[in-house]
Amino acid sequence: MTDFETRSPFKPARRAIPHYAAGRKYRRLLDGVYVDRSVPVTPAVKAQAAWVWSDGNCILSGISAAAIWRVKWLPVEAPAEIVVKRVVRVHNLVAHRDVVSPHDVAVRSGMRLTTPARTAFDLARRLPETDAVTLTDALYQATGISPDSLRESAAMRPGYKGIRKLRRVIVLSDAGAESPRETQLRLLVLGAGLPRPVAQYVVRDRAGRFIGRADLAWPQWKVALEYEGAHHFTDPVQARRDALRANAYMQAGWRTIRVLSELTREPEALLNQIISTLRAAGAPI
């Protein structure tokens, strides 16, 4: 049996452990691969476990590749994903037998994994659309890859299965998005056929002074969407900042819709509010 330690999160170290200690001190992630019970089992840890399990004879793919690229918002319950040449049936491990070109492979922390562009392609064709867009937005933030570079990558795969899904995800994605809630709001707006908003738009007053950054905005009509989490109301300091910023937006001629978490569970009501606000601001919708 082997285990790896995460003193450095991406440099697993292997060593034999006695059978009697395995269940008490260590948690089994894969057959013969254990991790200390004090270590949180994150997607990155699962990816490392898959690499150790395969003795390095694999390519980390999908969620596992994204984890090593330090993409945020990954589903913690997702199993590790690898690409191997042989048929593998192992609990808590998804093994793909894809053809991966050499230019689609990178090395990070001593492990082979798919490049950001290939990772985006794999996520787009394997995940539900909303999840794929959310993680593609996060991939932009983590790696610096751009929608244009993804379009170039898609153009190089004209006959690949799932390429239409990737192109759709690219259209819906946004390199400026900074949270899953923001992505979900954008997808709600686009799904309703409304004009595409700008992510993280810098709002300034009439003198050009910085007021804040709107999560989503239509600057041509001076309409902004701001997602408000629970801390915006439970933290007095944050609540005061929000109030001052809202007043500054109003004085600068902006209409702001503060999107509360409960409104996202009532998409029709939220969309009606957005549509009426845009119309009042002069949007031709």
Side-chain angles (χ1 to χ4, degrees):
M1 288 186 290
T2 61
D3 90 88
F4 62 92
E5 298 173 353
T6 54
R7 287 166 293 186
S8 172
F10 302 114
K11 292 183 179 179
R14 302 177 63 186
R15 63 181 175 84
I17 59 175
H19 286 269
Y20 69 83
R24 185 172 66 252
K25 185 178 179 182
Y26 297 96
R27 177 187 292 112
R28 190 176 86 159
L29 298 185
L30 295 169
D31 186 25
V33 184
Y34 292 72
V35 67
D36 192 291
R37 287 189 176 276
S38 65
V39 176
V41 181
T42 64
V45 169
K46 292 180 184 179
Q48 293 172 322
W51 180 260
V52 171
W53 174 85
S54 72
D55 288 324
N57 295 316
C58 73
I59 299 170
L60 300 178
S61 173
I63 296 294
S64 289
I68 302 305
W69 287 116
R70 299 188 180 183
V71 172
K72 295 181 179 179
W73 325 121
L74 297 174
V76 295
E77 71 282 359
E81 289 187 67
I82 61 174
V83 174
V84 288
K85 295 181 179 179
R86 58 192 174 91
V87 176
V88 172
R89 292 184 177 88
V90 176
H91 184 59
N92 290 330
L93 179 67
V94 175
H96 305 283
R97 298 181 67 193
D98 299 335
V99 175
V100 182
S101 302
H103 69 265
D104 282 334
V105 179
V107 177
R108 188 175 175 90
S109 300
M111 295 178 286
R112 290 186 300 154
L113 69 163
T114 52
T115 61
R118 175 57 191 252
T119 301
F121 172 53
D122 290 337
L123 294 172
R125 63 198 178 108
R126 293 172 186 161
L127 296 178
E129 184 173 90
T130 298
D131 295 337
V133 174
T134 298
L135 295 187
T136 299
D137 285 356
L139 192 67
Y140 293 143
Q141 293 289 326
T143 68
I145 192 174
S146 68
D148 285 342
S149 60
L150 280 191
R151 291 187 189 96
E152 292 174 6
S153 178
M156 296 170 59
R157 312 175 197 273
Y160 280 51
K161 184 178 180 180
I163 196 64
R164 290 184 180 179
K165 290 184 177 180
L166 174 61
R167 291 183 178 130
R168 169 77 175 167
V169 166
I170 294 171
V171 169
L172 295 173
S173 65
D174 194 313
E178 294 186 351
S179 74
R181 288 292 190 184
E182 184 182 315
T183 297
Q184 291 162 14
L185 277 175
R186 186 181 71 250
L187 293 180
L188 178 66
V189 166
L190 296 179
L194 297 176
R196 189 182 187 107
V198 179
Q200 297 299 317
Y201 184 78
V202 174
V203 178
R204 299 183 183 278
D205 64 15
R206 301 182 193 281
R209 293 184 294 264
F210 175 83
I211 297 176
R213 284 198 309 164
D215 291 333
L216 296 171
W218 291 271
Q220 63 270 52
W221 300 300
K222 289 191 172 183
V223 174
L225 292 180
E226 297 265 65
Y227 180 78
E228 309 287 8
H231 71 285
H232 288 265
F233 303 96
T234 58
D235 182 347
V237 175
Q238 183 64 53
R240 182 176 184 276
R241 289 173 181 167
D242 291 343
L244 291 174
R245 187 173 67 249
N247 290 340
Y249 276 28
M250 183 176 61
Q251 290 173 354
W254 280 76
R255 302 167 191 256
T256 305
I257 301 172
R258 300 181 69 182
V259 181
L260 311 181
S261 58
E262 54 265 29
L263 283 177
T264 60
R265 295 191 291 270
E266 300 176 2
E268 290 188 11
L270 176 57
L271 280 173
N272 288 336
Q273 186 177 2
I274 293 171
I275 290 170
S276 62
T277 303
L278 283 170
R279 284 176 176 166
I285 57 175

